[in-house]
Amino acid sequence: MLAGWRCGACFTLAIWATLGLAAVPRERFQESLIIRPLHDGKVSSQFSFLTSVQDATPRNPETLGLEDDSQHYTVFPLALGQILREYAITEMHLTLNAGKWNYDQWGYPNEAGVGTGAELWAWMGDGGLATVDQRWQGLRNALAGLFCASLGSLDEQRTTSPVLTFAPEGLLPNWTRPHQLRHASLPSEHVCTENLTPFLKLLPCKSQSGIASLLNPHQLFDADWHGMGVHVWLDPIEGVKVRLTFQSVFDPVRNSLGGRRDWSFTSIFGRTIEKHCPVAQTSSIQIELPDDKSYTLSPEPTRVDVNIALFDLVNRTEPFEAAMQWLGEATFEYPLNAGDLSHMPLSVRRTLRGSSQARGQLSVVLTNNWPTEMHVIYLETMPWLLQFYLHTLRIYCNGEPCDHLISNISYTPPVPHARPTMFQSVLTVPPKTTIYLTIDVSKSFLRYTEHPPDAQRGWDLPPAVLVPLRVRENQTIDQGTRYPRIYTPILLVDLATPDFSMPYNVIILSCTLITLIFGSVFNLLTRKFVVVQLDGPTKDKNIN
Amino acid sequence: MSSPQWPSSLKDPSKICFESTQTRRLVLGSYWAVVLLALPLWWYTTSIERLSLPSSRVLGLFERDLRFQLHLQLNTEGYKDAAVVARDWQGILDQRTALGGRWEGLDVYVHPKKHGDFSDVFGTYTVNMGPYKSSAQDRQLSLTTANVLTDDSPTTLIDTLSDLLAPYAPSDSHDCVVQYAPRYRLAFTMLNEDAAAGQAVHGWDIQDAIAQHISPHLLRLSVLHNFTIESQVQFHAPLAFKPIPISVDGRAAHGLMPEDLTVFVNSAQWTLSSSVSNDPVLHFILYVPSVTQRPLYILNADGTTSRSTAFLLPQWGGIVLFNPPPPSDLHQHTHLSSHSLMPIMNSFSTQLLALLGVPPLPPAVRCTQSNSSLTDWQLDALLRRRILENVDKSTKTLGSIVQLVDQIENMPVGPDVRGDVQDALIALDKVFVSSRNSTIETLLHSSQALSLASRAFFNPGMLALLYFPAEHKYAVYTPLFASVAVPLLAAVGRELIAWRRSRKQRAESKGGEQDRRERNG
């Protein structure tokens, strides 16, 4: 063991020596804010904080037993770096969202991960001392501690590996064994201030200066939709990258007295940018300009690209505030039409039908908004609470059965109390057509201890994920052009719920019953029967 | 008029086969037999697993005393008779070791050089006296002869030796030294109070600086601990209090009062903690005050500025204040090169050694060790101290486990707890054996014993039934137990009374017959 210590120390020293000679890894920090006034008077904002470590590589799990390199960071968050290296994570995506993203009205979000609740997926190398599942458990526990979220409950009862849907966003290093995917989502997790505070601590400028100073929890968590994300991936050129994002959709019409859609930093964030973050290499604010030209934007943008106004905050010393006003508009009139659907390839509706507590039917309605045929990867990951009956899977289009539209089905049946269901398939949606997919489900009967404290509320089911694909004639599904993922809203399932005072009632009732039976049998067996001699003859005489 | 022909048994129910007293008693007896036979089963299924712990061996540990034997080999090189000096020193040292205190667990023997070379024997230190400057190297100490020649009482020399062999005064508050752990995380953090205010320090060549100033120490200390090193820079690290404005040489400055230093670390806003491992973390913080708070000084209790810019937080880490020289441009950023980090790293390395409990050399002795500032004298003293500490702590932990298990009767003791306790005892036995041969091996065994003992102490299985007392179960089952027990007991009582009455009757009838017989006779 002593030799091991010495060797470890020498090894560490050797690494310092090489690092001392080699160029120090350069770290870059870039921040940006994208603001998009939406068709229905709402304003979407996306904060993005990108940190990259040049020349850094993820840890190979084969080296998990050995002494790791020392970690020296300037702007990269050390707390996150420790977790990534401890569990040898190559790529990781964590999102915590609240609310329902309205694709038809708002179009695609800037960040694809908008599924309600918590979602975590990671690509990890295989091999080494700890298995992928052990490291996955360690990762979610460490992230749960870091972000104060209940990610610990993303256990094997919710973990799947939908490789087709969640393709890696960055490069996977070519190690001896292939990488593996782990994915889990927890729709009932709610994002709030306690998650934002640790999120802000990962930023080099916290919320003290730069664009991050606009992240005001009072305003953000009042928004119609809000969500945060942590994304780590390996860029083939720029090394390991971390992107921290915060998206929100504000409703200025709701918050203004006159029902106007004018907005400014003060009205939506409650703050302005007072100081520039000194370590940000780029710091830009992009405002997408609406199609109707009746607005005024202040201040004058640094430059305008097509329909995006750009503001550069680096080297700006005075406080910055942007505002957009529609001066000619007294009150905002909500548009009556659903808006332009052509920017979304698909519209999706998903419902769980049937009022019984034992069976139901899952129904998905998909509409192709485009005049071209569309392939869609369709993924359902369900906790074992729901079981699919695959033979009841039906697809209808134009009122007729169209079962040929589904292909590449892969199905992992659930194991009650242990493993979730995973259903992944490719759907072909003809141009400008709506298809209806139904599948029968049965609802499980839970054990007494498996019910949550608010059992009567029901169980949240994770969203389905759809990835639209454009596949040319001679291409396979894997080679097709991918559009960003689409998440359906989450569902709520009502399972048979017992009366929770029942166990005690049962104990007491059955005790009483057993006692009654016992008492009567026991009495019968041990009682001493005696014939009481009444005054016989007198009685007889009277009768006669 | 004759009554219908009833079977005779109906007229007298005691004639029915199951109504005989014997059958009734048999039925009752079998009920009770079932209850009594079920008792052991019930006892077995509801009892808590409580394996017996080797308490006597644990208690025996308190009687055992770990002692290290140190041999001093005197080489006077003819200045004085080595044997005489050795006898003198032995006398003085015996007096001192008998007092205990800092000499706890140490036996010192002085041998003159001419009695043979002992340098191969474990625990031997050589003391050379000659025309040298006092210096220490490996396990050798060279002492200047000036004192030996002039001063007849060798107290000053013995004092120097004491500082080398037993440098830890018992009254000396050891609070500052961190508890022993096989691995520490050294977290170097540069904190800018407010980088947005300008003139912040944006980077530091910490890797080079660590390689130059810290790594040599860590390499020497690798026999005791492993180290993980990490560093980060933060750009907004506000203080939880306001430093007081002072004036130094007519210029405005800010000062930290001694009581401010204890609350200096603002853990709510500085993200220093690490969440991935349970290794203890030693923090080393370079604090750069914001441009409006500069220069920031540490004040003495009387309000004057202290010359030191560094301070130590016991068992937590060290903090160094750094006031960058004012650059001409307000927005110019500073990068600390490894050269300019030198004084800071010197403070950090002093703090590191103090936190790890490395004893300083006595002021009279210089270190001439090549490639390191730590001599074997210091390392050995530290090793001995850590061993004694670990043995003491694991003994106490084992003692508390035994005491706790004795006190709380509901506490389960599983095979893993017993295994850990036994392994800890074995490791402690090995400590006593190997303490005569090798300090490094002894340290390994002692740290093993400590970790096993604390693992046994914190075993979660011991908490299992602490919060679910048997009374609750009885309360739930009372409707069954009470209502079943009442007829059972009542039947027994009734049967007993009937039996006693019948016996009495029989005795009376017998007595009556006897009376009659006597009267007749």
Side-chain angles (χ1 to χ4, degrees), chain A residues 1-2 4-6 8-10 12-13 16-17 19-21 24-25 67-79 82-84 86-87 142 145-146 201-202 204-206 208-209 275-279 317 504 507-508 510-512 514-515 518-519 521-531 533 540-541 544, chain B residues 1 10-14 18-19 24 27-28 31 180 182-183 185 194-197 202-208 210-211 215 218-219 222-238 267-271 273-277 331 333 440 443-444 476-477 479-480 483-484 487-488 491 494-495 498:
Chain A
M1 188 168 169
L2 176 67
W5 283 8
R6 279 215 167 115
C10 298
T12 325
L13 272 186
W16 290 333
L19 282 178
L21 293 174
V24 182
E67 190 87 11
D68 192 20
D69 316 356
S70 326
Q71 298 182 60
H72 297 281
Y73 299 122
T74 309
V75 290
F76 191 89
L78 175 68
Q82 283 175 334
I83 293 175
L84 295 174
E86 177 81 16
Y87 302 108
L146 185 62
K201 283 186 176 174
L202 298 180
C205 289
K206 312 261 170 64
Q208 304 288 320
S209 60
K275 286 182 280 189
H276 161 61
C277 173
V279 283
T317 45
Y504 302 99
I507 290 175
I508 288 170
S510 47
C511 285
T512 316
I514 291 174
T515 316
F518 170 85
V521 171
F522 181 79
N523 271 339
L524 216 65
L525 287 174
T526 57
R527 179 150 299 169
K528 192 173 174 184
F529 291 97
V530 184
V531 171
Q533 288 286 345
D540 284 351
K541 244 179 237 171
N544 290 335
Chain B
M1 288 286 301
L10 278 186
K11 286 182 186 156
D12 184 2
S14 60
F18 62 86
E19 269 297 301
R24 198 170 54 244
V27 168
L28 189 61
Y31 265 101
Y180 178 80
R183 179 179 281 276
R185 219 167 240 279
D194 186 5
H202 278 212
W204 53 345
D205 287 337
I206 185 70
Q207 295 180 41
D208 291 350
I210 288 174
S215 310
L218 298 188
L219 199 60
S222 64
V223 292
L224 284 133
H225 315 282
N226 276 346
F227 297 96
T228 313
I229 297 179
E230 61 200 22
S231 79
Q232 60 172 331
V233 180
Q234 291 193 18
F235 300 93
H236 288 278
S267 12
Q269 303 206 29
W270 304 352
T271 22
S273 63
S274 114
S275 54
V276 289
S277 77
H331 282 280
H333 304 139
I440 293 166
L443 179 79
L444 273 183
V476 169
Y477 287 108
L480 180 67
S483 40
V484 167
L488 273 175
R494 213 163 48 211
E495 235 14 78

